[in-house]
Amino acid sequence: GEEYIQFTNTDIIKLGERYRIFDDGIQVGNKLEPAMYEIQFVQDEGFYLQSVQIANAQDVKVYGQMNERIEKVMRSYSSSNKNMGVILSGAKGIGKSLFAKLISVRAVKEGLPVVMVNRYYNGLPQFLSSIDQKCMVLFDEFDKNFFDPSSDTQDHTSVQDSFLTLFDGVYASNKLFVITANSLNRLSEFLVN
């Protein structure tokens, strides 16, 4: 006779000709929940999003017009039906990361998932374009982290330019892109434009 293996409380997902078996904790949906996610990549498996805790920003002392600027960004983004980009640049210590943190908290409160991207991987722009919903995408220290590590040159712009079709809305999407950078000189001129 034949033997059958019985899986209890499992789900089987078919991806092309590959079958993956998961325990009953798998959830299937068509939208990301409003939360903070970080992009991860595993060789031979590809990209995935890892849920991360969003930092508590309630007790942070804010100086200047930061709250008004956050309000302006969110108002501009919500009144648009296309991609919008914000570049936060300047010397270390002026509040770029704090602003990005506060706008991330605000985006989640308004029902948007926030996808944090901390390093470059081949195929990253295509993966980001596959997220087919309104969301915020945060690139921290874009000038430092987004270059081709296999390249012998210091020219970071070729990798940065690979994001241009994603940023300019060639892909149908409605994303808020927030980029922090210490130096505008290390950003692609097309990106800054």
Side-chain angles (χ1 to χ4, degrees):
E2 296 179 337
E3 283 189 49
Y4 294 95
I5 299 173
Q6 182 177 2
F7 297 103
T8 58
N9 297 324
T10 61
D11 292 301
I12 300 173
I13 295 182
K14 181 182 178 193
L15 298 168
E17 295 302 314
R18 297 173 94 189
Y19 292 84
R20 304 271 320 258
I21 299 172
F22 296 90
D23 66 19
D24 63 350
I26 191 168
Q27 296 179 7
V28 178
N30 60 359
K31 297 287 183 194
L32 291 170
E33 295 179 17
M36 180 77 92
Y37 303 91
E38 186 175 64
I39 289 189
Q40 300 289 326
F41 180 81
V42 175
Q43 193 67 36
D44 298 329
E45 290 187 25
F47 292 98
Y48 67 94
L49 296 175
Q50 176 74 44
S51 178
V52 294
Q53 288 291 80
I54 193 162
N56 186 358
Q58 290 176 319
D59 301 326
V60 175
K61 186 148 178 114
V62 178
Y63 298 97
Q65 299 175 334
M66 196 172 293
N67 288 328
E68 290 85 3
R69 290 184 176 132
I70 290 169
E71 184 65 36
K72 179 180 179 183
V73 167
M74 296 309 292
R75 190 175 50 250
S76 297
Y77 174 67
S78 65
S79 68
S80 174
N81 60 353
K82 59 183 182 175
N83 289 342
M84 185 176 126
V86 176
I87 297 177
L88 308 170
S89 67
K92 287 187 174 283
I94 65 167
K96 298 179 302 288
S97 294
L98 176 59
F99 186 87
K101 177 180 176 180
L102 292 172
I103 202 164
S104 297
V105 169
R106 176 70 180 274
V108 170
K109 282 183 182 175
E110 292 195 13
L112 294 173
V114 175
V115 178
M116 198 169 36
V117 189
N118 292 321
R119 63 178 292 208
Y120 173 76
Y121 301 100
N122 284 326
L124 181 59
Q126 293 79 12
F127 175 74
L128 288 169
S129 69
S130 73
I131 301 172
D132 190 25
Q133 73 181 88
K134 290 180 79 163
C135 66
M136 177 180 150
V137 181
L138 172 60
F139 293 91
D140 198 22
E141 297 189 352
F142 195 78
D143 55 333
K144 183 174 97 174
N145 295 327
F146 294 88
F147 63 94
D148 186 350
S150 65
S151 173
D152 293 335
T153 70
Q154 293 297 320
D155 177 27
H156 298 338
T157 59
S158 62
V159 165
Q160 293 177 7
D161 287 348
S162 71
F163 289 92
L164 293 176
T165 55
L166 175 68
F167 293 156
D168 69 11
V170 168
Y171 299 107
S173 65
N174 186 344
K175 293 180 177 60
L176 171 60
F177 294 105
V178 177
I179 295 172
T180 68
N182 292 326
S183 172
L184 284 178
N185 294 336
R186 291 188 57 177
L187 294 181
S188 164
E189 65 180 292
F190 302 111
L191 179 68
V192 175
N193 216 7

